[in-house]
Amino acid sequence: MLYVSGQAAFDERGQLVGEGDMTTQAEVVFQNIGKILADQGADFSDIAFIRTYMTDLDMRMEYGAVRRKYLTGTPPASTTVEVSKLFMPGLLLEVDLIVALP
C-alpha cells in the first residue's frame, strides 16, 4: 500500500499554480499524482481511495471534469468535503490517496 497525502497545486519549485482557478489547480494536482504513481510502478487504476478537500463545493464540476480525465473506468472509493480554508491562501483543493501497489 502507498499512502499519499497533501497533494496540492504546487510546481517543482514549490510555488502555487493557478491561484483562484480550480481547473488549473486540479490539473496540477493530478499531474503530480501521476508522477508519484509512476515512480512507484503504479498508475491511476491502482488508486483504491481518494479524499478531496475543497474550499468551495460549488467548484466541484470543474474538479470533476479534470478528475474524470485521469480516473477512467471504475472509480475508486472517494470522499469529498468542503473546508473553510487550506494551509496556504489561494489553495482551492488538496488530495489524499491510498494506492494498492501492483
Side-chain angles (χ1 to χ4, degrees):
M1 301 300 285
L2 173 67
Y3 297 88
V4 180
S5 63
Q7 295 306 298
F10 295 110
D11 64 16
E12 297 81 20
R13 297 180 325 265
Q15 300 298 311
L16 176 64
V17 178
E19 185 169 346
D21 182 346
M22 176 58 78
T23 299
T24 299
Q25 287 197 17
E27 278 287 345
V28 170
V29 166
F30 279 95
Q31 289 169 7
N32 290 343
I33 288 170
K35 292 173 187 175
I36 293 167
L37 293 171
D39 182 65
Q40 298 300 308
D43 61 34
F44 287 96
S45 67
D46 297 310
I47 296 173
F49 178 78
I50 184 168
R51 180 178 18 250
T52 305
Y53 304 92
M54 299 176 67
T55 58
D56 185 353
L57 282 178
D58 289 341
M59 295 183 183
R60 69 187 178 281
M61 298 303 284
E62 294 94 325
Y63 169 71
V66 174
R67 178 181 148 144
R68 284 188 297 278
K69 284 176 42 180
Y70 292 90
L71 300 176
T72 59
T74 304
S78 66
T79 300
T80 302
V81 297
E82 185 176 61
V83 296
S84 61
K85 58 185 166 182
L86 293 165
F87 70 94
M88 179 179 279
L91 279 179
L92 301 175
L93 77 153
E94 186 174 336
V95 175
D96 296 333
L97 309 167
I98 299 174
V99 181
L101 293 174

